[in-house]
Amino acid sequence: MTVPVAAIRARGVREHNLTGIDVDLPHGLLIAVTGVSGSGKSSLAFDTLYAEARRRYLLTDEGAAGVFAARLSPPKADLIDGLRPALAIAQARQRPSVRSTAGTITGIYNYLRLLYSKAGLPHCLNCGGTVEQESFDVVVERSLSHPAESRLVVLASLASTPDSDPEELIRHVERTGYRHLRVDGEIALLEEISADQLKGAAVEVVIDRVVLRPDTQRRVLGSLQAAAEVGSGRVVLVDQDTGDEERFSLTPSCADCGNPFPELTRSLFSFNSPQGACPNCRGTGETRAVARDRVLPLGEPSAAALSELWTRFGHKDLRRKLVLFCERLGVDAEETPLSEWPEEAARQLWEGEDRESHSRSHFEGLRNWLERIAATCEDDGEISWLEERRGDAAEPCFSCSGARLAPAALTVRIGNDSIADLTAMVVSELLPHLNTIPSSSLLDHILGYVRSGLQALLDLGLGYLSLDRRADTLSTGEFQRLNLAAALGSGLTGVMYVLDEPSIGLHPRDSGRLVHALQTLRDAGNSLIVVEHELELIRESDVVVELGPGAGRDGGRLIASCAPAKLPTGSATGCHLHKRVPIATRERTVGTAGWLELIGASGHNLDDLHVSIPLGTLCAVTGVSGSGKSSLVHGTLHPLLAAQLQGGERTPLPYRECHGIELVERVVTVDQSPLGRTPRSNAATYTGLLGPIRQLFAEVPEARMRGYRPGHFSFNAEGACGQCLGSGLDVGAGDLREITPSPCPTCGGSRFNREVLQIRYRDLAIDEVLQLSVREAQEQFAPVSEVARRLGLLAELGLGYLLLGQPASSLSGGEAQRVKLAAELGRPLQENTLYILDEPTSGLHTQDVGYLVELLQRLVDRKNTAIVVEHNLQLIAACDHVIDLGPEAGSDGGSVVACGNPKEIARESSHTGRALSAYLRVGSER
């Protein structure tokens, strides 16, 4: 008998920057892996433990996945054993699909679909009557239950509406071979009935007349089968002795008008299936035009964005037209980012040229071209790609009113509720509402899973969400907690869960709820490995594994593996866990630079807010999750300022007035959305680092001799590997690349062709430069002032460990946001700019938050304003002004409960006030 291993044993782990560490992780515990940003936490938890568990699982597959997994290299380690089946709950690296909702992510919607397919009562689309369906066995049983010697007439009911063609009805009956019809209750020969008599009449075919005896029971059975076939499942049984009639429908159809109805299956209630999706909006719930910024991201090289279009859709003609278009306008698409194109050229690229000016080679514009493809596209992958790139300016679908489902699905009700009615309720209202559903053993079983999932959402502080909430509107923290709720409701045991900062986006009020949820998952017999910076969660974990002491090559060493209380006070985490380290603040007089006043904000759950924001300050907007922070800042304030200052097109949520806009010259939002949707975009291209670096390579004597231009050092242009076309991935792996990527066998994942890699600058090829971390690149490019300055900004934001060529799609939301901030700070700074940041502390160790605060303070010192939507008490305490929303979430939020400096907020009784009071009090005591 094999004795189960009590712990995961990892020896000599050398993945990425890990320096051959040895660590034991006991099973059945909550283990926090922590350390400064870039110290190696994800390298241990995800790239070593989870990656190896997944690789071993794929190897058990005898199909293509197993063959593919056999080609994968295991993580760099001397020994890894004791692994359990693993599940990862990571941050969303890509923008979630518009088809995903809170209900689908958690799996609760699947149970609701099952519930409605089993217990839903459908209603006729034609007349609103009740739709009925009987089994054939029930029809036979009811027929044979009549008394012996009963004279029975078996009829087949034909679907007849005022629009039915009488002539076609007669031809149909003639083809069946039966000669008698009953029209409005009167039986007659087919030859005696005129077409006019059938208009709008109830028409039935007489199948048989039979006297019920023991020797005629088989005949009755055959007649019923024939009636079901002729009447498409609609059977009428008449007892001539009593005059009683019984009507049966073996397929779903209206009991009043006979109109057929689709089969009640789970697919009927899925907006991701052809049966259930609204035919007008294809299950998205809205109609939108393809958005320019989602097809052509401004921060990406033009060549990358345009290359993706003609590669995906296979239109060589588009490439030819684009080349001619760029030549006419004198634009170098390979090297010039779209953000630097002349305004008129960028407009014509999207909207098209004037046909009269270029009649022979007129370029129709990418928007028109894509919409034309969308109208005729049948490929599911292309349809999904196009839907994800439609803009925000959308209206609810006029057909389904935003419910996403086909008309038939919306007529199915339990009590008075359709499935769309239930998913539109917020979780805190839906859970008690389920008690109104009639009880039965089957329904109670299904509802038990629904209630369990909803309770998990409540326990994680997500009671303000509705199940139909689109996933792409969720914050990073909300998305991750939905995945955690799904894990809580799965009932799995003996699993190794690997989680990536589940506390992101969580108000301190809800930290205890998260800890309780994780401990519940642990107590069910699972092992939890949590990459985390939140001190409260670290304090409540069973074991803390700290890596460090620094980031990149200065990290990767095991500092401690022990109980939280035994963590060394000298370590980066230990010093913050055992005492509050003071943070630098500025003494600013609030209001000297003027105020920005927003009056009557009422979008979503905002309750006619009147908010005053002091300009020239660092201002925090706080409140529990769902209190209205994003609705106020990202949904109202940013779009209205962008529209008036920069011509933004997004419509703000409702508001009455806004004063003080004339005091602001520009608004910049730095959020956590992905930098790009393909691995072709990376931090170096987004921040503009690669432009001058490619120019350096092009000036190398050998490159000049070969006639190489900067574009030759781009994997989106001439320098791309001919096999993988610059993706770096094995193109023969097909869909398995989405499971586990495999490097291109020709270029080894470098993305470049062999000739380009022969050019070296300071003994480095261009692919080797992309493999440098920010700190390593600082040493190599210190003499190049423009490159060094941009690298310095990334390092100051705690991103010194980031590889220059790391795909943007692999960056966390917090990392993406800091790269965007570095790109913005890399431009010439302007005064009177209002910066909006969405939880900029995401992914930052407590020690690194101090560096971020210092950078934001410097930004404000240059006569700018920074508004941060934030939960981190360390950053809130360093702000000049705080606007606290609440008091709760959803309909119980949307009000200003307190405003003032941090010390004033700490004297308030709001959730933020109490948390801030405790934070400041602990700091003063220590």
Side-chain angles (χ1 to χ4, degrees):
M1 178 178 178
T2 303
V3 178
V5 179
I8 300 170
R9 294 191 303 151
R11 298 289 182 267
V13 181
R14 301 178 301 281
E15 193 67 21
H16 297 155
N17 68 327
L18 298 177
T19 57
I21 66 171
D22 300 336
V23 65
D24 291 337
L25 305 175
H27 286 308
L29 297 181
L30 172 56
I31 300 172
V33 181
T34 189
V36 297
S37 302
S39 59
K41 304 182 296 298
S42 294
S43 297
L44 174 62
F46 286 93
D47 300 331
T48 301
L49 301 179
Y50 174 68
E52 179 62 4
R54 181 181 58 175
R55 187 185 71 89
R56 293 181 186 180
Y57 169 76
L58 290 175
L59 283 172
T60 64
D61 192 311
E62 296 181 357
V67 174
F68 182 68
R71 297 160 53 188
L72 298 176
S73 301
K76 298 181 181 67
D78 297 333
L79 170 71
I80 303 175
D81 66 6
L83 289 173
R84 288 181 170 182
L87 287 174
I89 302 178
Q91 297 179 37
R93 306 296 188 186
Q94 294 288 348
R95 184 185 181 91
S97 168
V98 295
R99 292 185 172 276
S100 294
T101 65
T104 60
I105 292 170
T106 57
I108 297 174
Y109 189 66
N110 291 335
Y111 288 111
L112 290 178
R113 288 167 51 205
L114 178 62
L115 180 72
Y116 272 77
S117 68
K118 297 296 183 183
L121 181 62
H123 293 79
C124 178
L125 289 166
N126 183 43
C127 68
T130 302
V131 173
E132 297 177 349
Q133 181 179 8
E134 302 274 6
S135 71
F136 186 73
D137 291 340
V138 170
V139 177
V140 173
E141 182 182 347
R142 296 276 291 275
S143 301
L144 298 181
S145 66
H146 285 257
E149 302 298 326
S150 295
R151 294 179 302 157
L152 303 178
V153 180
V154 180
L155 304 104
S157 178
L158 302 181
S160 177
T161 67
D163 298 327
S164 299
D165 182 359
E167 297 290 348
E168 177 58 35
L169 201 61
I170 291 174
R171 288 192 291 270
H172 171 71
V173 176
E174 287 176 340
R175 287 193 294 268
T176 68
Y178 294 98
R179 310 308 303 165
H180 288 83
L181 291 182
R182 189 172 78 157
V183 181
D184 287 339
E186 297 294 331
I187 296 177
L189 281 169
L190 181 61
E191 294 81 0
E192 299 173 355
I193 300 172
S194 67
D196 291 339
Q197 290 177 273
L198 300 182
K199 288 184 177 180
V203 182
E204 294 140 353
V205 179
V206 179
I207 302 297
D208 197 6
R209 295 182 178 89
V210 61
V211 178
L212 187 59
R213 299 189 183 110
D215 60 342
T216 61
Q217 289 185 359
R218 291 180 63 85
R219 177 178 167 181
V220 172
L221 177 61
S223 298
L224 291 172
Q225 289 174 330
E229 182 177 349
V230 173
S232 299
R234 293 179 293 278
V235 178
V236 181
L237 187 68
V238 179
D239 188 328
Q240 288 184 298
D241 297 323
T242 64
D244 294 337
E245 290 188 12
E246 292 180 277
R247 294 182 176 273
F248 306 98
S249 178
L250 303 180
T251 59
S253 61
C254 178
D256 297 333
C257 69
N259 195 48
F261 196 88
E263 190 80 20
L264 285 192
T265 64
R266 284 184 293 175
S267 294
L268 180 63
F269 302 99
S270 170
F271 41 78
N272 290 317
S273 75
Q275 297 97 319
C278 168
N280 182 58
C281 64
R282 295 184 177 183
T284 62
E286 58 188 22
T287 53
R288 298 174 293 165
V290 176
R292 171 178 165 176
D293 60 340
R294 295 185 179 176
V295 175
L296 304 172
L298 293 179
E300 295 186 11
S302 307
L306 298 176
S307 174
E308 183 180 9
L309 290 180
W310 60 65
T311 300
R312 174 172 291 278
F313 295 104
H315 283 256
K316 294 182 180 179
D317 186 53
L318 172 67
R319 184 169 191 168
R320 181 183 61 81
K321 289 183 177 179
L322 278 171
V323 170
L324 293 174
F325 170 76
C326 291
E327 287 179 354
R328 280 198 300 273
L329 297 180
V331 175
D332 184 356
E334 293 175 356
E335 287 302 314
T336 309
L338 289 165
S339 57
E340 297 178 12
W341 280 38
E343 184 177 345
E344 181 61 17
R347 186 194 66 79
Q348 291 183 12
L349 173 69
W350 184 245
E351 298 180 4
E353 294 177 294
D354 181 2
R355 186 176 296 273
E356 296 179 0
S357 301
H358 304 280
S359 57
R360 297 184 61 188
S361 57
H362 169 261
F363 181 61
E364 65 180 318
L366 292 177
R367 179 173 62 183
N368 297 327
W369 181 74
L370 288 169
E371 291 291 0
R372 184 159 46 80
I373 287 179
T376 57
C377 184
E378 296 182 355
D379 181 85
D380 289 342
E382 292 181 1
I383 290 172
S384 178
W385 188 90
L386 287 165
E387 286 178 349
E388 290 176 358
R389 280 153 182 80
R390 294 190 180 276
D392 294 319
E395 297 293 332
C397 171
F398 67 86
S399 178
C400 65
S401 299
R404 298 175 174 235
L405 294 171
L410 297 175
T411 70
V412 182
R413 297 183 174 273
I414 294 179
N416 294 319
D417 300 315
S418 69
I419 192 170
D421 294 330
L422 294 189
T423 56
M425 295 182 186
V426 296
V427 168
S428 59
E429 296 175 355
L430 177 57
L431 190 55
H433 182 78
L434 294 180
N435 295 328
T436 63
I437 295 179
S439 178
S440 72
S441 58
L442 174 62
L443 297 189
D444 289 347
H445 183 69
I446 300 172
L447 285 172
Y449 289 105
V450 177
R451 290 190 176 99
S452 175
L454 295 175
Q455 188 61 52
L457 292 176
L458 276 178
D459 292 342
L460 288 169
L462 297 174
Y464 59 90
L465 292 180
S466 60
L467 295 182
D468 65 358
R469 174 77 174 267
R470 271 176 35 185
D472 60 346
T473 67
L474 298 167
S475 69
T476 303
E478 287 171 332
F479 187 84
Q480 196 168 16
R481 278 180 280 150
L482 285 176
N483 284 321
L484 180 57
L488 288 169
S490 68
L492 294 175
T493 60
V495 173
M496 179 180 77
Y497 286 97
V498 185
L499 298 93
D500 188 10
E501 298 189 69
S503 66
I504 284 179
L506 199 64
H507 191 275
R509 188 277 302 266
D510 297 318
S511 295
R513 293 181 177 182
L514 174 63
V515 170
H516 175 73
L518 295 175
Q519 291 172 339
T520 300
L521 201 58
R522 174 202 63 189
D523 295 342
N526 300 298
S527 303
L528 276 72
I529 299 175
V530 184
V531 175
E532 190 53 76
H533 294 302
E534 170 59 40
L535 296 179
E536 183 64 24
L537 197 154
I538 294 172
R539 191 174 285 113
E540 295 297 326
S541 61
D542 301 311
V543 173
V544 178
V545 174
E546 183 174 8
L547 301 176
R553 64 184 182 184
D554 295 327
R557 294 189 284 277
L558 183 65
I559 303 301
S561 178
C562 58
K566 296 182 180 180
L567 206 60
T569 56
S571 71
T573 303
C575 70
H576 288 274
L577 190 66
H578 301 306
K579 65 179 181 178
R580 186 176 72 81
V581 177
I583 194 165
T585 59
R586 300 285 198 275
E587 294 294 333
R588 295 192 182 95
T589 303
V590 172
T592 56
W595 295 80
L596 183 66
E597 293 186 84
L598 179 63
I599 301 171
S602 56
H604 296 156
N605 68 328
L606 298 180
D607 187 18
D608 195 30
L609 285 191
H610 181 170
V611 177
S612 297
I613 300 168
L615 299 176
T617 66
L618 178 57
C619 178
V621 178
T622 65
V624 298
S625 299
S627 59
K629 304 183 298 297
S630 294
S631 296
L632 172 63
V633 177
H634 299 295
T636 309
L637 187 62
H638 174 253
L640 82 85
L641 291 176
Q644 296 200 32
L645 298 175
Q646 292 146 222
E649 297 179 356
R650 193 157 65 93
T651 304
L653 295 174
Y655 72 99
R656 288 200 305 275
E657 302 174 49
C658 187
H659 304 298
I661 297 179
E662 69 280 0
L663 301 175
V664 179
E665 295 181 5
R666 191 170 65 119
V667 60
V668 175
T669 183
V670 185
D671 59 19
Q672 297 190 26
S673 61
L675 300 181
R677 292 174 174 80
T678 71
R680 293 180 178 274
S681 178
N682 54 52
T685 58
Y686 192 91
T687 56
L689 274 169
L690 279 192
I693 290 176
R694 288 176 183 144
Q695 185 64 45
L696 290 174
F697 272 87
E699 292 174 358
V700 170
E702 187 175 354
R704 296 175 64 182
M705 182 178 63
R706 296 186 184 186
Y708 285 175
R709 297 179 292 108
H712 284 85
F713 300 95
S714 166
F715 50 71
N716 291 313
E718 296 100 322
C721 164
Q723 177 68 23
C724 65
L725 303 178
S727 71
L729 301 177
D730 184 357
V731 295
D735 293 339
L736 290 171
R737 285 185 299 171
E738 299 298 325
I739 302 174
T740 302
S742 179
C744 169
T746 299
C747 67
S750 74
R751 303 182 172 202
F752 294 91
N753 63 51
R754 183 170 56 85
E755 291 76 13
V756 166
L757 296 180
Q758 292 172 350
I759 307 299
R760 306 183 74 82
Y761 172 81
R762 300 190 69 176
D763 204 31
L764 290 172
I766 184 65
D767 68 316
E768 293 171 334
V769 170
L770 292 177
Q771 291 304 310
L772 294 176
S773 70
V774 168
R775 285 200 176 88
E776 291 168 340
Q778 281 182 291
E779 298 179 7
Q780 290 289 334
F781 296 100
V784 187
S785 59
E786 182 61 20
V787 176
R789 183 175 66 86
R790 294 177 185 270
L791 288 169
L793 288 170
L794 288 168
E796 288 184 55
L797 285 166
L799 294 173
Y801 62 92
L802 204 66
L803 301 183
L804 297 188
Q806 184 170 337
S809 56
S810 69
L811 299 177
S812 69
E815 288 172 330
Q817 186 177 28
R818 280 178 278 149
V819 169
K820 291 178 184 178
L821 184 58
E824 179 60 33
L825 293 174
R827 300 185 178 97
L829 283 177
Q830 301 179 18
E831 296 181 355
N832 302 320
T833 297
L834 191 149
Y835 293 91
I836 295 176
L837 297 95
D838 185 15
E839 299 188 56
T841 60
S842 296
L844 283 181
H845 186 273
T846 308
Q847 176 174 292
D848 297 317
V849 173
Y851 305 142
L852 172 67
V853 170
E854 178 60 30
L855 206 65
L856 293 176
Q857 298 284 17
R858 283 162 46 190
L859 201 63
V860 175
D861 287 342
R862 298 184 183 184
K863 298 182 180 180
N864 295 300
T865 304
I867 300 176
V868 293
V869 177
E870 190 54 77
H871 293 301
N872 185 283
L873 296 174
Q874 188 179 359
L875 176 52
I876 295 171
C879 287
D880 306 304
H881 191 75
V882 179
I883 299 171
D884 192 24
L885 302 185
E888 298 294 339
S891 59
D892 295 326
S895 299
V896 176
V897 294
C899 59
N901 62 49
K903 291 182 179 179
E904 292 171 335
I905 297 296
R907 291 194 288 269
E908 299 289 340
S909 60
S910 67
H911 294 300
T912 303
R914 287 192 292 270
L916 195 55
S917 174
Y919 177 81
L920 295 175
R921 184 172 63 252
V922 169
S924 63
E925 291 173 355
R926 290 175 176 170

Short mmCIF file of all heavy atoms in Angstrom, two decimals, residues 464-488:
data_model
loop_
_atom_site.label_atom_id
_atom_site.label_comp_id
_atom_site.label_asym_id
_atom_site.label_seq_id
_atom_site.Cartn_x
_atom_site.Cartn_y
_atom_site.Cartn_z
N TYR A 464 -23.67 42.25 -4.06
CA TYR A 464 -24.23 43.37 -4.85
C TYR A 464 -24.23 43.08 -6.34
O TYR A 464 -24.79 43.83 -7.13
CB TYR A 464 -23.41 44.64 -4.60
CG TYR A 464 -21.95 44.51 -4.95
CD1 TYR A 464 -21.49 44.81 -6.23
CD2 TYR A 464 -21.03 44.06 -4.02
CE1 TYR A 464 -20.16 44.68 -6.56
CE2 TYR A 464 -19.69 43.92 -4.33
CZ TYR A 464 -19.26 44.24 -5.59
OH TYR A 464 -17.93 44.10 -5.91
N LEU A 465 -23.58 41.98 -6.77
CA LEU A 465 -23.54 41.64 -8.18
C LEU A 465 -24.79 40.90 -8.61
O LEU A 465 -25.41 40.19 -7.81
CB LEU A 465 -22.32 40.75 -8.50
CG LEU A 465 -20.93 41.37 -8.39
CD1 LEU A 465 -19.89 40.33 -8.75
CD2 LEU A 465 -20.80 42.58 -9.30
N SER A 466 -25.17 41.03 -9.86
CA SER A 466 -26.22 40.20 -10.44
C SER A 466 -25.56 39.13 -11.30
O SER A 466 -24.44 39.33 -11.79
CB SER A 466 -27.19 41.04 -11.28
OG SER A 466 -26.49 41.68 -12.33
N LEU A 467 -26.23 38.02 -11.51
CA LEU A 467 -25.64 36.93 -12.27
C LEU A 467 -25.49 37.27 -13.75
O LEU A 467 -24.70 36.64 -14.45
CB LEU A 467 -26.49 35.65 -12.12
CG LEU A 467 -26.54 35.07 -10.71
CD1 LEU A 467 -27.37 33.79 -10.71
CD2 LEU A 467 -25.14 34.77 -10.18
N ASP A 468 -26.25 38.27 -14.24
CA ASP A 468 -26.10 38.64 -15.65
C ASP A 468 -25.07 39.75 -15.85
O ASP A 468 -24.93 40.26 -16.96
CB ASP A 468 -27.45 39.06 -16.24
CG ASP A 468 -28.02 40.32 -15.60
OD1 ASP A 468 -27.40 40.86 -14.67
OD2 ASP A 468 -29.11 40.75 -16.02
N ARG A 469 -24.34 40.11 -14.81
CA ARG A 469 -23.29 41.13 -14.92
C ARG A 469 -22.19 40.65 -15.87
O ARG A 469 -21.65 39.56 -15.70
CB ARG A 469 -22.72 41.43 -13.53
CG ARG A 469 -21.52 42.36 -13.51
CD ARG A 469 -21.90 43.81 -13.69
NE ARG A 469 -20.72 44.64 -13.52
CZ ARG A 469 -20.34 45.20 -12.37
NH1 ARG A 469 -21.08 45.01 -11.29
NH2 ARG A 469 -19.25 45.93 -12.28
N ARG A 470 -21.89 41.43 -16.88
CA ARG A 470 -20.88 41.06 -17.85
C ARG A 470 -19.51 40.97 -17.22
O ARG A 470 -19.10 41.84 -16.45
CB ARG A 470 -20.86 42.06 -19.00
CG ARG A 470 -21.79 41.74 -20.12
CD ARG A 470 -21.79 42.79 -21.18
NE ARG A 470 -20.50 43.43 -21.42
CZ ARG A 470 -20.33 44.44 -22.26
NH1 ARG A 470 -21.36 44.92 -22.91
NH2 ARG A 470 -19.15 44.97 -22.44
N ALA A 471 -18.76 39.91 -17.59
CA ALA A 471 -17.45 39.69 -17.00
C ALA A 471 -16.47 40.78 -17.36
O ALA A 471 -15.58 41.11 -16.57
CB ALA A 471 -16.90 38.33 -17.42
N ASP A 472 -16.61 41.37 -18.55
CA ASP A 472 -15.64 42.39 -18.95
C ASP A 472 -15.89 43.73 -18.27
O ASP A 472 -15.14 44.68 -18.50
CB ASP A 472 -15.61 42.55 -20.47
CG ASP A 472 -16.95 42.97 -21.05
OD1 ASP A 472 -17.96 42.89 -20.33
OD2 ASP A 472 -17.01 43.38 -22.22
N THR A 473 -16.92 43.83 -17.43
CA THR A 473 -17.14 45.05 -16.64
C THR A 473 -16.68 44.87 -15.20
O THR A 473 -16.80 45.79 -14.40
CB THR A 473 -18.63 45.44 -16.64
OG1 THR A 473 -19.40 44.45 -15.92
CG2 THR A 473 -19.17 45.56 -18.06
N LEU A 474 -16.18 43.68 -14.87
CA LEU A 474 -15.76 43.40 -13.50
C LEU A 474 -14.33 43.89 -13.27
O LEU A 474 -13.51 43.92 -14.20
CB LEU A 474 -15.81 41.89 -13.23
CG LEU A 474 -17.18 41.22 -13.33
CD1 LEU A 474 -17.01 39.71 -13.34
CD2 LEU A 474 -18.08 41.64 -12.18
N SER A 475 -14.04 44.24 -12.04
CA SER A 475 -12.67 44.56 -11.69
C SER A 475 -11.87 43.26 -11.59
O SER A 475 -12.43 42.16 -11.56
CB SER A 475 -12.62 45.29 -10.34
OG SER A 475 -12.98 44.41 -9.29
N THR A 476 -10.54 43.40 -11.55
CA THR A 476 -9.69 42.23 -11.43
C THR A 476 -10.02 41.43 -10.19
O THR A 476 -10.11 40.20 -10.23
CB THR A 476 -8.20 42.65 -11.40
OG1 THR A 476 -7.91 43.41 -12.57
CG2 THR A 476 -7.30 41.44 -11.33
N GLY A 477 -10.22 42.13 -9.08
CA GLY A 477 -10.53 41.44 -7.82
C GLY A 477 -11.87 40.74 -7.87
O GLY A 477 -12.02 39.62 -7.36
N GLU A 478 -12.87 41.38 -8.45
CA GLU A 478 -14.19 40.75 -8.55
C GLU A 478 -14.13 39.50 -9.41
O GLU A 478 -14.70 38.45 -9.05
CB GLU A 478 -15.19 41.75 -9.15
CG GLU A 478 -15.60 42.86 -8.19
CD GLU A 478 -16.43 43.93 -8.87
OE1 GLU A 478 -16.25 44.13 -10.10
OE2 GLU A 478 -17.23 44.58 -8.20
N PHE A 479 -13.40 39.59 -10.52
CA PHE A 479 -13.28 38.44 -11.42
C PHE A 479 -12.62 37.27 -10.70
O PHE A 479 -13.06 36.12 -10.81
CB PHE A 479 -12.45 38.84 -12.64
CG PHE A 479 -12.40 37.79 -13.72
CD1 PHE A 479 -13.41 37.68 -14.65
CD2 PHE A 479 -11.33 36.92 -13.79
CE1 PHE A 479 -13.37 36.72 -15.64
CE2 PHE A 479 -11.27 35.95 -14.78
CZ PHE A 479 -12.29 35.86 -15.70
N GLN A 480 -11.59 37.56 -9.93
CA GLN A 480 -10.88 36.49 -9.25
C GLN A 480 -11.71 35.88 -8.12
O GLN A 480 -11.71 34.66 -7.91
CB GLN A 480 -9.56 37.02 -8.69
CG GLN A 480 -8.57 35.92 -8.32
CD GLN A 480 -7.20 36.46 -8.05
OE1 GLN A 480 -7.03 37.66 -7.87
NE2 GLN A 480 -6.20 35.60 -8.05
N ARG A 481 -12.48 36.73 -7.43
CA ARG A 481 -13.32 36.18 -6.35
C ARG A 481 -14.48 35.37 -6.90
O ARG A 481 -14.97 34.44 -6.24
CB ARG A 481 -13.81 37.32 -5.46
CG ARG A 481 -12.76 37.74 -4.42
CD ARG A 481 -13.25 38.86 -3.55
NE ARG A 481 -13.13 40.15 -4.22
CZ ARG A 481 -13.92 41.17 -4.02
NH1 ARG A 481 -14.94 41.07 -3.19
NH2 ARG A 481 -13.72 42.31 -4.66
N LEU A 482 -14.94 35.68 -8.11
CA LEU A 482 -15.94 34.82 -8.75
C LEU A 482 -15.37 33.44 -9.02
O LEU A 482 -16.04 32.42 -8.81
CB LEU A 482 -16.43 35.46 -10.05
CG LEU A 482 -17.38 36.65 -9.92
CD1 LEU A 482 -17.68 37.23 -11.30
CD2 LEU A 482 -18.68 36.25 -9.25
N ASN A 483 -14.12 33.39 -9.48
CA ASN A 483 -13.47 32.10 -9.69
C ASN A 483 -13.30 31.35 -8.37
O ASN A 483 -13.44 30.13 -8.31
CB ASN A 483 -12.11 32.29 -10.35
CG ASN A 483 -12.22 32.61 -11.83
OD1 ASN A 483 -13.06 32.05 -12.53
ND2 ASN A 483 -11.38 33.51 -12.31
N LEU A 484 -13.01 32.09 -7.31
CA LEU A 484 -12.88 31.47 -6.00
C LEU A 484 -14.23 30.93 -5.53
O LEU A 484 -14.31 29.85 -4.94
CB LEU A 484 -12.32 32.49 -5.00
CG LEU A 484 -12.12 32.00 -3.56
CD1 LEU A 484 -11.21 30.79 -3.53
CD2 LEU A 484 -11.54 33.12 -2.69
N ALA A 485 -15.30 31.68 -5.79
CA ALA A 485 -16.64 31.20 -5.44
C ALA A 485 -16.97 29.91 -6.17
O ALA A 485 -17.60 29.00 -5.63
CB ALA A 485 -17.68 32.27 -5.76
N ALA A 486 -16.55 29.82 -7.44
CA ALA A 486 -16.76 28.59 -8.21
C ALA A 486 -16.02 27.43 -7.56
O ALA A 486 -16.54 26.30 -7.51
CB ALA A 486 -16.31 28.78 -9.65
N ALA A 487 -14.82 27.70 -7.07
CA ALA A 487 -14.06 26.63 -6.41
C ALA A 487 -14.74 26.20 -5.11
O ALA A 487 -14.81 25.01 -4.79
CB ALA A 487 -12.63 27.13 -6.11
N LEU A 488 -15.28 27.17 -4.37
CA LEU A 488 -15.97 26.83 -3.12
C LEU A 488 -17.20 25.97 -3.38
O LEU A 488 -17.55 25.11 -2.58
CB LEU A 488 -16.38 28.12 -2.40
CG LEU A 488 -15.25 28.93 -1.76
CD1 LEU A 488 -15.76 30.29 -1.31
CD2 LEU A 488 -14.67 28.17 -0.57
#
